[in-house]
Amino acid sequence: MGKVAIVTGGTRGIGRAICEKLQADGFTVVANYAGNDEAARKFTDETGIATYKWDVGDHEATQAGCAKVAAEVGPVDVVVNNAGITRDGTLMRMGFDDWNEVMRINLGGCFNMAKACFPGMKERGWGRIVNIGSINGQAGQYGQVNYAAAKSGIHGFTKALAQEGARFKITVNAIAPGYIDTDMVAAVPDEVLEKIVAKIPVGRLGKAEEIARGVSFLCSEDAAFVTGSTMSINGGQHMY
């Protein structure tokens, strides 16, 4: 059995592409999801990848979920923190719950997953943590003070945890995707999406598979000297 990898928010979009790529790389992959049982069943039927349900923003549920994966599948060697939500709105219109939920899941989920899996990686002397940030965490975005703050926090979290993990051969890196052709982006009104694409130098949206290839590299032995880094995959839209 290959090394065990958990991908949070792994049954759809970028998460699914990451799961499929890591599976092709020889990892034993587990996909975490929060709520859509039908999508999870379809995902497993189509990929053969097991799914485990818990809310990554819930500390106790994450501890229990990761322990269950370790008991049933094997010790967790790779964590890809991909799960995330949006609750967009200007500050004047944004309620505290909109702020708190995004911070709880998008940023808190990274802490909860690392807290659950880092000790085992340290004990075994090897690990990979890849956190999915965002171009909007680097450049900001109107109407997304919650999302931009959470994603920016992920980049800081990555740099700090990388310093803790380095001596134990645990690398911690981030990927900052630009606008990717997923369901989340598809929900953007056409006239807004046209303006976004017009600002991308390569002239198109990214593909989920392109993010997955970045994750694949960071999880490989080839990336053993890469830690505390943020890989921007955004078609040149923001050169950071």
Side-chain angles (χ1 to χ4, degrees), residues 133-202:
S134 171
I135 186 174
N136 293 344
Q138 297 173 317
Q141 178 60 46
Y142 182 92
Q144 283 196 327
V145 293
N146 50 4
Y147 186 83
K151 292 297 187 177
S152 182
I154 285 173
H155 298 308
F157 174 88
T158 297
K159 295 177 190 299
L161 188 59
Q163 295 179 51
E164 297 183 27
R167 61 183 151 174
F168 307 111
K169 298 184 180 177
I170 303 169
T171 67
V172 187
N173 293 288
I175 289 181
Y179 285 86
I180 308 300
D181 190 8
T182 62
D183 290 343
M184 185 181 290
V185 173
V188 175
D190 289 343
E191 63 274 15
V192 175
L193 195 56
E194 287 175 8
K195 293 177 181 177
I196 290 171
V197 173
K199 294 179 180 178
I200 302 174
V202 301

Side-chain angles (χ1 to χ4, degrees), residues 27-166:
F27 290 95
T28 299
V29 182
V30 168
N32 152 269
Y33 74 104
N36 194 327
D37 296 326
E38 183 178 348
R41 282 192 295 269
K42 182 179 179 183
F43 167 83
T44 298
D45 289 344
E46 293 174 351
T47 66
I49 296 171
T51 58
Y52 284 73
K53 183 179 181 179
W54 74 81
D55 173 5
V56 296
D58 182 323
H59 185 74
E60 296 303 324
T62 300
Q63 291 283 319
C66 290
K68 185 176 182 182
V69 171
E72 296 180 358
V73 183
V76 178
D77 302 294
V78 173
V79 170
V80 181
N81 285 309
N82 169 73
I85 64 168
T86 57
R87 295 287 186 273
D88 294 350
T90 61
L91 178 67
M92 295 297 291
R93 293 179 178 272
M94 184 178 293
F96 176 75
D97 287 346
D98 297 325
W99 166 269
N100 200 48
E101 272 301 276
V102 169
M103 297 298 288
R104 185 183 73 84
I105 293 171
N106 296 18
L107 183 55
C110 291
F111 171 83
N112 292 337
M113 287 296 299
K115 189 72 173 176
C117 298
F118 189 93
M121 295 178 183
K122 177 182 173 182
E123 183 178 325
R124 294 186 299 277
W126 195 95
R128 297 285 186 268
I129 297 174
V130 181
N131 303 313
I132 305 302
S134 171
I135 186 174
N136 293 344
Q138 297 173 317
Q141 178 60 46
Y142 182 92
Q144 283 196 327
V145 293
N146 50 4
Y147 186 83
K151 292 297 187 177
S152 182
I154 285 173
H155 298 308
F157 174 88
T158 297
K159 295 177 190 299
L161 188 59
Q163 295 179 51
E164 297 183 27

Side-chain angles (χ1 to χ4, degrees), residues 10-35:
T11 62
R12 295 184 291 171
I14 291 173
R16 175 170 180 152
I18 293 168
C19 284
E20 291 177 337
K21 177 57 178 164
L22 293 181
Q23 182 186 51
D25 290 344
F27 290 95
T28 299
V29 182
V30 168
N32 152 269
Y33 74 104

